[in-house]
Amino acid sequence: MTDRLTITRPDDWHLHLRDGRMLDAVTPDTAMHFGRALIMPNLVPPVVSGSDASAYRDRIMAACPDGASFTPMMTLYLTEGTDAADLVAAARDGIITAVKLYPAGATTNSASGVRDIDSVMPVLEAMAEAGVPLCVHGEVTDSEIDIFDREAVFIDRVLDPLRRRLPALRVVMEHVTTSDGIDYVRSGGESIAATLTTHHLFINRNHILAGGIRPHYYCLPVAKRETHRLALVAAATSGDPSFFLGTDSAPHLDTAKLAPCGCAGIYTAPNTLACLAQIFDNEGALDRLDGFVARHGAAFYGVAVNDGTVTLVRTAAPQPVPDDRMTPEGSLTVFDPMVPIHWAVAG
Ligand code: DOR
Ligand code: ZN
């Protein structure tokens, strides 16, 4: 039995750090364990230009603990007013790594997102030509589509037609939650990949709704039924390089989560690696954890793997859920996987 596991210093290819006091509170949790993270641009107002991204990057660096070896990789928020020349220049100059598509109304701070994909086709064509990846929040927003079907419908109505129109566009389907998404990415060739979150490998919709409503498990895309969770676990632990970690760790104050209309998002940054080690261990796939957290994403984004390592140790006693984080504006609850976690990061 493996009791110590040393992996390459990992990357988180989908992370929300926010801004201001929340940024200061949460950045150390990621910077401690990860070499890089792809930073989501859904601030208020959103990160829409190369100069916004560069200024936000500076604020993130200022929030990193001294001596942390952490590099934020920036994204732009695609709007119907995005300036393609500014975007391509920001990518060429190494300011941004990717561009994020939020369908308008799909999730937190997505009001400035895209209503009509045709209106951004010239920008997407410029991205395809310049090799800038598009990260997609893959859910339709139509009120007549059931929330549990929104990912599968998005693939049929938006994503597949887009990729047929622009086969050269490199796409990351973010936080896939369904077997439909897994199957689509598996059969999609080299131009598409997917991120999987930590929490979607643990929870299904019963965790949110059975025996009481648990707002801390509410996120978007919402967790689906158990058969889908099992498909996600199989994909993550399969060794298929199309799948890699993007935690979607999304901090919201408890006051915003525990409300009559609570925010979507789960804060997993502090215990993500320990939780993932447990899932891979359960599947007999500890030897594939390194690929999922440190290699597949780097290969897709065309960057070298990180220097350095992280060591995880198996613990006889289950690890407690990390304490709530305290910010000057209130508390922030850390993800509780609801199963015993017998792994911890040793250093
Ligand atoms: O649960 C989520 N939270 N899903 C998203 O797509 C956005 C995120 C956030 O920013 O809070
Ligand atoms: Zn997200």
Side-chain angles (χ1 to χ4, degrees):
M1 202 156 70
T2 313
D3 287 327
R4 257 182 111 73
L5 179 67
T6 297
I7 57 171
T8 309
R9 192 167 167 85
D11 297 314
D12 181 349
W13 290 104
H14 184 133
L15 178 68
H16 298 269
L17 288 177
R18 317 300 189 202
D19 215 341
R21 290 172 166 168
M22 185 64 98
L23 171 69
D24 291 337
V26 301
T27 301
D29 280 332
T30 292
M32 185 137 59
H33 298 154
F34 289 83
R36 293 171 293 218
L38 190 69
I39 311 299
M40 291 300 117
N42 61 334
L43 305 182
V44 187
V47 178
V48 294
S49 67
S51 68
D52 290 348
S54 171
Y56 185 31
R57 186 181 189 286
D58 292 345
R59 298 199 295 281
I60 295 168
M61 292 310 291
C64 280
D66 289 343
S69 125
F70 176 68
T71 304
M73 317 274 281
M74 308 308 293
T75 59
L76 289 190
Y77 186 120
L78 184 63
T79 74
E80 294 188 356
T82 293
D83 175 346
D86 175 73
L87 181 163
V88 170
R92 184 199 57 218
D93 297 345
I95 297 168
I96 63 158
T97 298
V99 172
K100 180 72 186 273
L101 166 65
Y102 288 106
T107 187
T108 308
N109 303 337
S110 62
S112 314
V114 173
R115 265 158 241 282
D116 173 12
I117 195 91
D118 287 340
S119 70
V120 293
M121 278 313 285
V123 179
L124 297 176
E125 282 161 12
M127 287 171 57
E129 180 154 344
V132 182
L134 180 71
C135 297
V136 174
H137 182 113
E139 290 191 285
V140 293
T141 56
D142 320 42
S143 57
E144 73 273 19
I145 305 295
D146 189 276
I147 191 164
F148 292 103
D149 298 333
R150 288 179 178 191
E151 183 170 293
V153 173
F154 182 88
I155 294 168
D156 290 345
R157 286 195 189 166
V158 184
L159 186 56
D160 193 54
L162 171 64
R163 293 186 59 244
R164 285 175 194 278
R165 255 168 104 176
L166 261 184
L169 184 67
R170 309 190 71 235
V171 173
V172 181
M173 202 179 162
E174 299 291 331
H175 41 50
V176 168
T177 59
T178 57
S179 57
D180 312 68
I182 297 292
D183 293 346
Y184 185 71
V185 170
R186 261 207 193 110
S187 60
E190 305 249 305
S191 66
I192 189 162
T195 54
L196 296 168
T197 76
T198 306
H199 50 278
H200 288 116
L201 300 179
F202 281 85
I203 63 168
N204 62 38
R205 61 197 197 180
N206 282 9
H207 289 79
I208 314 170
L209 295 169
I213 187 159
R214 296 190 194 81
H216 288 303
Y217 293 126
Y218 175 60
C219 65
L220 288 169
V222 71
K224 310 297 192 294
R225 62 170 66 240
E226 177 66 0
T227 48
H228 293 291
R229 187 190 72 84
L230 293 173
L232 305 183
V233 171
T237 58
S238 67
D240 182 337
S242 311
F243 300 102
F244 46 85
L245 177 65
T247 65
D248 199 15
S249 179
H252 291 279
L253 294 176
D254 287 337
T255 45
K257 291 290 295 173
L258 307 174
C261 185
C263 293
I266 303 182
Y267 186 53
T268 55
N271 53 354
T272 269
L273 287 182
C275 288
L276 290 173
Q278 188 66 60
I279 286 272
F280 278 67
D281 193 3
N282 296 349
E283 298 301 307
L286 279 173
D287 57 328
R288 295 180 174 166
L289 183 62
D290 193 61
F292 182 67
V293 301
R295 294 184 180 273
H296 303 167
F300 184 86
Y301 281 105
V303 293
V305 298
N306 292 311
D307 291 333
T309 57
V310 169
T311 297
L312 290 134
V313 289
R314 187 195 299 279
T315 61
Q319 293 299 303
V321 176
D323 290 340
D324 289 358
R325 288 349 193 200
M326 292 311 299
T327 84
E329 281 145 356
S331 60
L332 167 63
T333 295
V334 178
F335 174 60
D336 178 353
M338 295 258 267
V339 292
I341 302 295
H342 288 271
W343 286 92
V345 177

